[in-house]
């Protein structure tokens, strides 16, 4: 659903060329929130109401995607470059990890990625896409 709403929202704003990248980012961030926002040691959370919010904001120079969830724990945003399979022969530990690739993809597609705790609890993970120099 978030992918479809992303396409509709960006289409209304005349930002069709951003749709594939923003859809992939929203998919990764929503997937992470669903996967990680329920702590393994808190099975009672399954019976409680949980909220996940996706917000898009457009300013003259930026498009910002905000995915908020109830988990106050910081996401593990990738630092630096990921290793690739081309290094596997020389450095077996350099093969792609089985987890964490989604936020690397988000970091690669967006111009800036950050997170912030929310006043009401939980956190927001943000992606900023720069609109300056893009087709109108």
């Amino acid at each position: 659903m978030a992918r479809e709403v992303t396409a509709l929202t960006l289409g209304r704003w005349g930002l069709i060329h951003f749709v594939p990248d923003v859809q992939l980012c929203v998919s990764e961030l929503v997937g992470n929130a669903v996967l990680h926002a329920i702590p393994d040691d808190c099975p009672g959370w399954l019976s409680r109401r949980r909220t996940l919010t996706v917000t898009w904001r457009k300013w003259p120079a930026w498009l910002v995607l905000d995915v908020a969830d109830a988990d106050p724990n910081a996401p593990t945003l990738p630092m630096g470059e990921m290793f690739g399979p081309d290094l596997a022969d020389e450095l077996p530990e350099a093969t792609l990890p089985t987890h964490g690739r989604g936020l690397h993809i988000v970091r690669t597609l967006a111009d800036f990625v950050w997170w912030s705790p929310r006043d009401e609890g939980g956190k927001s993970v943000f992606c900023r896409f720069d609109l300056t120099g893009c087709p109108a």
Side-chain angles (χ1 to χ4, degrees):
M1 164 91 60
R3 291 176 60 86
E4 291 82 12
V5 176
T6 296
L8 290 171
T9 301
L10 272 55
R12 277 188 239 128
W13 291 343
L15 299 173
I16 294 296
H17 51 284
F18 280 91
V19 168
D21 288 353
V22 179
Q23 278 184 319
L24 185 51
C25 288
V26 80
S27 292
E28 292 297 335
L29 294 179
V30 167
N32 282 351
V34 169
L35 181 64
H36 299 294
I38 302 172
D40 292 336
D41 60 346
C42 296
W45 273 46
L46 295 174
S47 61
R48 284 198 254 157
R49 182 182 172 112
R50 294 173 315 280
T51 302
L52 184 138
T53 305
V54 179
T55 306
W56 302 262
R57 293 178 180 94
K58 180 181 175 283
W59 285 277
W62 304 313
L63 168 67
V64 175
L65 167 64
D66 169 1
V67 177
D69 63 55
D71 180 15
N73 295 310
T76 305
L77 296 175
M79 304 296 286
E81 298 301 317
M82 299 279 283
F83 292 112
D86 53 319
L87 297 175
D89 290 335
E90 298 171 29
L91 299 167
E93 67 276 7
T95 57
L96 290 172
T98 57
H99 291 83
R101 292 177 301 226
L103 285 175
H104 179 71
I105 291 168
V106 170
R107 195 194 75 165
T108 301
L109 295 175
D111 291 296
F112 197 70
V113 180
W114 72 101
W115 78 279
S116 176
R118 297 176 59 88
D119 290 340
E120 61 274 12
K123 69 176 171 299
S124 283
V125 179
F126 300 93
C127 297
R128 187 189 79 206
F129 299 87
D130 294 344
L131 301 179
T132 54
C134 71

